[in-house]
Amino acid sequence: MQSGRDRAGSHRWSLRAGRLLQEGAPGASVLRLCVRLVRRPVLPAVRLWRRNMQLRVVAATLLMSLAVVLALGFVVIAQVSKGLLDAKEEAAQSQAAGGFAVAQEKANTPATVDGPDAADNKVGLDASTWMNSLVKQLASGGQTAFEVVALGAGTGEQVLPGTQGVKGARASGNVDPTASVPVKLRRAVNHSAGTFKTFSEIRYTAGAGEKAPEPALVVGKRLTDINGDPYDLYYLFPLSQEEESLNLVKSTIATAGLFVVVLLSAIAWLVVRQIVTPVRMAAGIAERLSAGRLQERMKVTGEDDIARLGEAFNKMAQNLQNKIQQLEDLSRMQRRFVSDVSHELRTPLTTVRMAADVIHDARVDFDPVTARSAELLAGQLDRFESLLSDLLEISRFDAGAAALEAEPIDLRDVVRRVIDGAEPLAEHKGTRIRVLGDTQPVIAEADARRVERVLRNLVVNAVEHGEGRDVVVRLASAGGAVAVAVRDYGVGLKPGEATRVFNRFWRADPARARTTGGTGLGLSIAVEDARLHGGWLQAWGEPGGGSQFRLTLPRTADEPLRGSPIPLEPEDSRANRARAAADAAGGAVERQQPADAGDRSTIPPRPAASGQSVPADPTALPGSGARVVARPAEQAPQEERTDADADADGR
């Protein structure tokens, strides 16, 4: 009970979802428009990507080479940058150490009155004047290779009145001392002994114009002035030359990498082209061979693997052409033999027929054995004439000489003529022939003689194999198709026989002799007649459950069929009866639900087979997995299809 309730609930949910999709949810149109706008430019690119192997190989080579060049460029740039900075740091530390030593030496030199060091005389100079002179002297040896900045100890902190020593900051080259020396470096120099370094930017004051900041390496150390008071001395080494060198390396690597990527892509395109071009040529020649141009061959040059492939392909094409030519010659000889024999047998058969008629008419004067022989002779001559007629018709189909004389006809009239002709056999077998769906005209452009021959063959076979049970002939039309189905309830067909039943001289029971029944060519001629109309002749059957043959024709000549208005598997088959019983059980479970179950409705029961033909949607293509089943407009479409129906439609 629970499984039936779940099945009924899922069925109602699918119906509600289907109605929602049909009616359209809010914003669905905008979403569909967006999807359409996105798919319109994407689909051609996706189609080109899937179909062009050369494009895929070149694109893959381009991406991989680009990734390799980028990785190599990052490694090279990192190594060059590290080398430049290491060299700069080593040179800067050496230069700064010399400057620190000179500054401290000048601060420790005893005072003199005159002499060669008069410029450095500390007598009469205060610390500020001495510091200005020191900064200028140290910076003069740099020649723009470095700048010098002197900061008082604890610069940036409050200075008590009367404190001796350097007050304020001094710098060379219009450098902004407080902005160029990082606070973190100043704290390290103020609180620890030794030399400290860091990377920063040199910022200039307004006196330098619009000179932009530039990266630099800053090296600082705590020293003492002429009065023994501490101060901080910093060397600022610009990194502009190293930056220019690094930019040059980057541009060189980028140019070389781009050239390498383009070169590798061109090489990949040329290499793949050498392989893809013969493959494309082989594909084009194979398509032309399949179209019937058997003389097409590949152009072979060289002795490599591609040349061997071309030679093998040409050899295969040559052998294929020879075999097809042999088969065509053999088929032509067979068709000519059948046609010649059929025509040549007409004259002696006519003579034998005349003699047999005379003997048959005089059989009352013969003894019983001779009279019976005369009757058997007449019956076999009738069968022989039918066989000759069928062979002649088959030879016309094989030779492509069959002509279609299509005109608008009402299939109901054709069915009535066929049933009138089959009534004596049906009475002899105790079979009743019923016609369904003949209340409305069923008009189609067809050859009445050929359609009548097909239906006569189907009805007579149904009566002969129906074991005395009813034979149902159903007519229907929908869309651009009309159909006639002949249903019997006899021995039926075993699995796989529905496709072999149209083979020439095929019998379901090989043990049965050919002395009874038809010529064995009736269904073969019938399926050729259906194909000549552009229609289908299909069979369904189950062991012990009878069989059904369906003839589907286009309503107008040369109109392609999209489906059939009559399902190939009848509604009263075992599978459909089991499915109907399951649906009926599900409906019974649904009716047991409480009355306040919301808007959930019961599952509509499967319509029982009746004498009226219900219009159906004939848009399902044979073999596509969809099944065309007659149903009311409000019933949900069936999405499952039996294997016998799919096999029959897939031919």
Side-chain angles (χ1 to χ4, degrees), residues 437-455:
D438 59 344
T439 57
Q440 299 293 333
V442 183
I443 307 298
E445 292 184 4
D447 191 331
R449 179 181 65 86
R450 296 184 182 277
V451 174
E452 184 175 349
R453 180 167 59 189
V454 173
L455 296 180

Side-chain angles (χ1 to χ4, degrees), residues 417-428 433 456 459-460 463:
R417 290 197 299 269
V418 170
I419 293 177
D420 291 341
E423 277 296 339
L425 179 61
E427 292 178 358
H428 176 71
I433 303 176
R456 183 185 303 110
V459 172
V460 170
V463 172

Side-chain angles (χ1 to χ4, degrees), residues 248-265:
L248 179 61
V249 172
K250 289 181 180 179
S251 61
T252 303
I253 292 178
T255 304
L258 180 61
F259 178 75
V260 169
V261 169
V262 174
L263 183 61
L264 289 177
S265 301

Side-chain angles (χ1 to χ4, degrees), residues 147-198:
E147 302 292 344
V148 179
V149 173
L151 298 177
T155 299
E157 300 176 0
Q158 184 177 4
V159 179
L160 297 177
T163 303
Q164 301 297 324
V166 178
K167 298 179 179 60
R170 294 162 180 82
S172 64
N174 295 322
V175 174
D176 187 349
T178 57
S180 300
V181 180
V183 176
K184 184 176 181 181
L185 178 62
R186 280 184 281 171
R187 290 176 180 173
V189 171
N190 288 330
H191 294 84
S192 301
T195 304
F196 297 90
K197 63 183 177 180
T198 187

Side-chain angles (χ1 to χ4, degrees), residues 214-253:
E214 55 182 343
L217 175 63
V218 182
V219 181
K221 187 177 181 180
R222 169 64 62 88
L223 300 175
T224 57
D225 59 5
I226 56 177
N227 297 325
D229 296 327
Y231 72 96
D232 300 336
L233 185 63
Y234 298 94
Y235 273 77
L236 284 70
F237 298 90
L239 299 177
S240 56
Q241 293 183 355
E242 286 75 13
E243 187 176 11
E244 292 177 358
S245 301
L246 187 60
N247 290 335
L248 179 61
V249 172
K250 289 181 180 179
S251 61
T252 303
I253 292 178

Side-chain angles (χ1 to χ4, degrees), residues 72-82 246 249-250 253:
L72 182 62
F74 285 137
V75 172
V76 171
I77 291 174
Q79 293 295 328
V80 171
S81 176
K82 184 175 182 301
L246 187 60
V249 172
K250 289 181 180 179
I253 292 178

